[in-house]
Amino acid sequence: MVYKCEKISFYAGQKALVDDISMSVIPGKLSVILGPNGAGKSTLLKMLSGDIKPDSGNVKIDGESMQKLDRKDLAKIRAVLPQSSNVTFNFSASDIVKMGRLPYNECDRISMPIVGKAMSLTKTSDLQSRQFTTLSGGEKQRVQFARVLAQIWPELTSRRTKYLLLDEPTGALDPLYQMEILTIARWLAEEKGYGVLAILHDLNQAMAYADYIYLLKQGRLVREGTPHTVLTRSSIRELWGIDAEIVHHTTASVPFILPCSGKSFSPF
Amino acid sequence: MYSDILTRLHYKKPNLIVLLCIGLMIAVVANILIGGYSLPLDKILAILLAKIGLTTSIDFAQHEAGILLSIRLPRLVLGIFVGAALGISGAVLQALFRNPLAEPGLIGVSSGAALFAVGYIVMGAGFAVSFMLPLIAFIGGICATLLIYALSRNAVGDKVGSMLLIGIAINAISLAGIGFFQFISDDTQLRLVTFWMMGGLGSATWKSILPTLLFIMIGLFALLRCAVPLNAYLLGVAEAGHLGIDTKKLTKIIILCVALIVGSAVAVSGIISFVGLIVPHVVRQFSGPDHRIVIPASALLGAIFTLIADLVARTVVIPAELPIGLVCSAVGGPFFLWLLLEKNRGAGYGL
């Protein structure tokens, strides 16, 4: 059970957006991709999810190349939460979540309980009959998360490892929901053995929730490992140009990254 | 709490489809009954029964049977198919382009077909060889579609978006071509061209509409099967891909089917605008955006709308006839505006 990419690159003209990266989505772990803007995080995720084909290298699930897999089978074991959603037609929130069950070709009697569970897990049950287009950005994101969960909802019968890819899942959310979405992601990894991969921007979130971190800079994988070994003062200065203190607070279980000053920042 | 969702979704509004079927039946009866020559219901039944070998006590003249069987019925059947084709094309194109303004006229299918047809009228043997015209128009529609498809394949990034833009460009070029042909045509040709462009079902005979019916039927069945993947398409192209849908294949099927049915429709009836744009919107106001309902309902409402427009077109200025395209736009435009404004007043305008 491996979901990995081997030496993948992607070019826009001459420029390599992703340059020779090998990595894997580890079952049972929440892996996080970090890196400054333009590091190639989203492009990497798009290649992993199969949206775009790498110019070189390949993406494999269980030893089988991504392109060769049956689309429906792939959809049953791998779900992707996009950065933002643009739905202009008036579906209700539960209609949107129900679309997650599309690969299964099942009747409402089977899919609706799963839709209900996914919505209650993401605390969107109250929104079920609301029009999706009238929801706030954060509510839309949570409904989309419920859809993605419904797509790979744990089954009793299947023992296949499932994978969840999240592209900046916490962007539009309030702090409480940011924590909840990451808690659900962790729960899927720990309790259900899912391989979860998320792009995050908040270094402290990565420190608190990640099992494993990939650091990207200018399309290259510069460092990988556990949060403690990867998120150091030197790597933060190298990647983001920030001087930061790693603070250990007595009431928190994980250290806190406290940015002190930006490197040579001047607005004028 | 699930039971709440269950009941809501279980109730899939089949009643809209039923209502539309009843509406279509009424429109069909009205179209058979009403016309320049009055045919009462008992005579119509007698003619139909006689056709299948049953004799009745009601007398009818031979020319009355002719009016019903060779004029009104083929025209009626053509109206149903053309309306259904236009309604369904609008519905699937709006979903494919994820744009509520998409309609067959906009992506150049109709105008490509029209360009070829007009060119044939002006340059070719004239209107006399009428059975060639549908074929030429159909080829034009397919050519326009294939051109759009081929050009947008090289586009980087948003393929569907650039397809829409290329379609608009093809549309403009076709219209310029049509303008040129109108400019060089003589008075008789100009009159034919103008009338053909405004659209009409009047020229329908069983023989001339048969290929059109066949093509439209094939296209309609193929498009009905696209309903569920099209729902996912409304989430976004990448998202539909993640849900296991082959988005490239879906795009290809839809574009080709739309070219097939719209090209065939334009070929026999000219450009009937507005049906493709307005019908899916009206349907969605009542049914929501689920294509399992929107697609069949758009076909039904498209057929009803076209039949009513045709009825108006051929009865208001007896013995002459208005072009059906004119009626569609004149009736449809204000109605559509009213619908939009009315909806705006409520809980927010949604497509």
Side-chain angles (χ1 to χ4, degrees), chain B residues 290-321:
Chain B
D290 187 342
H291 284 100
R292 282 172 301 175
I293 298 165
V294 170
I295 290 182
S298 293
L300 288 168
L301 189 61
I304 295 171
F305 188 84
T306 309
L307 286 187
I308 293 173
D310 190 42
L311 187 63
V312 173
R314 65 192 173 82
T315 49
V316 284
V317 289
I318 292 176
E321 252 184 47

Side-chain angles (χ1 to χ4, degrees), chain A residues 49 51 71-72 74-75 78 80 82 84-92 94-96 98-103 108-109 112-113 115-117 119-120 125 128-129 133-134 144 147 151, chain B residues 1-2 4-6 8-10 12 94-95 98-100 228-236 238-239 241-247 284 288-292 343 347-351:
Chain A
S49 61
D51 289 1
R71 285 164 193 278
K72 286 256 151 76
L74 181 62
R78 178 283 277 119
V80 186
S84 62
S85 54
N86 176 24
V87 177
T88 47
F89 288 79
N90 242 342
F91 285 101
S92 73
S94 57
D95 287 341
I96 296 277
K98 198 171 151 225
M99 283 184 201
R101 299 305 294 174
L102 206 111
D108 282 4
R109 203 162 40 82
M112 288 325 288
V115 168
K117 285 178 201 161
M119 292 190 87
S120 93
S125 301
Q128 54 172 295
S129 49
T133 45
T134 64
Q144 290 280 9
R147 167 178 71 81
Q151 187 185 338
Chain B
M1 57 160 287
Y2 312 138
D4 191 33
I5 314 181
L6 269 175
R8 213 180 63 73
L9 283 178
H10 209 73
K12 274 237 162 284
Q94 283 164 18
R98 306 181 65 225
N99 186 322
V228 174
L230 269 178
N231 280 347
Y233 221 85
L234 295 183
L235 287 174
E239 285 83 346
H242 297 152
L243 285 168
I245 290 154
D246 190 340
T247 51
R284 275 190 218 103
D290 187 342
H291 284 100
R292 282 172 301 175
K343 185 84 180 174
Y349 172 57
L351 302 163

Side-chain angles (χ1 to χ4, degrees), chain A residues 9 11 18 24-25 29 46 66 76 81 87 94 96 99 111 117 120 126 136 141 168 178 180 185 199 230 232 234 247:
Chain A
S9 302
Y11 296 89
V18 169
S24 51
V25 187
K29 284 200 159 55
K46 277 188 188 134
M66 191 84 165
K76 287 176 191 170
L81 180 68
V87 177
S94 57
I96 296 277
M99 283 184 201
S111 62
K117 285 178 201 161
S120 93
D126 295 343
S136 75
Q141 183 75 351
E168 293 183 33
Q178 293 191 15
E180 274 180 6
I199 294 177
V230 170
T232 58
S234 67
V247 185

Side-chain angles (χ1 to χ4, degrees), chain A residues 103-200:
Chain A
Y104 295 88
N105 264 333
E106 62 196 8
C107 60
D108 282 4
R109 203 162 40 82
I110 299 168
S111 62
M112 288 325 288
I114 295 171
V115 168
K117 285 178 201 161
M119 292 190 87
S120 93
L121 188 63
T122 55
K123 302 210 163 52
T124 49
S125 301
D126 295 343
L127 309 174
Q128 54 172 295
S129 49
R130 289 268 304 276
Q131 296 300 319
F132 186 77
T133 45
T134 64
L135 300 179
S136 75
E139 287 169 333
K140 282 181 185 168
Q141 183 75 351
R142 282 189 286 140
V143 170
Q144 290 280 9
F145 188 49
R147 167 178 71 81
V148 165
L149 291 179
Q151 187 185 338
I152 49 166
W153 195 256
E155 302 160 82
L156 297 172
T157 48
S158 166
R159 287 271 157 268
R160 280 202 83 170
T161 310
K162 301 190 178 191
Y163 300 94
L164 176 61
L165 308 182
L166 308 164
D167 191 354
E168 293 183 33
T170 56
L173 298 176
D174 289 344
L176 175 67
Y177 293 124
Q178 293 191 15
M179 284 157 74
E180 274 180 6
I181 213 169
L182 290 170
T183 307
I184 293 169
R186 275 210 69 87
W187 169 76
L188 284 173
E190 279 174 14
E191 302 293 323
K192 304 291 174 189
Y194 282 30
V196 185
L197 180 72
I199 294 177
L200 290 180

Side-chain angles (χ1 to χ4, degrees), chain B residues 12 20 26 52 62 74-75 84 121 164 262-263 276 343:
Chain B
K12 274 237 162 284
L20 287 172
I26 294 170
I52 56 169
Q62 204 53 46
R75 184 172 184 152
I121 293 172
L164 195 61
V262 173
K343 185 84 180 174

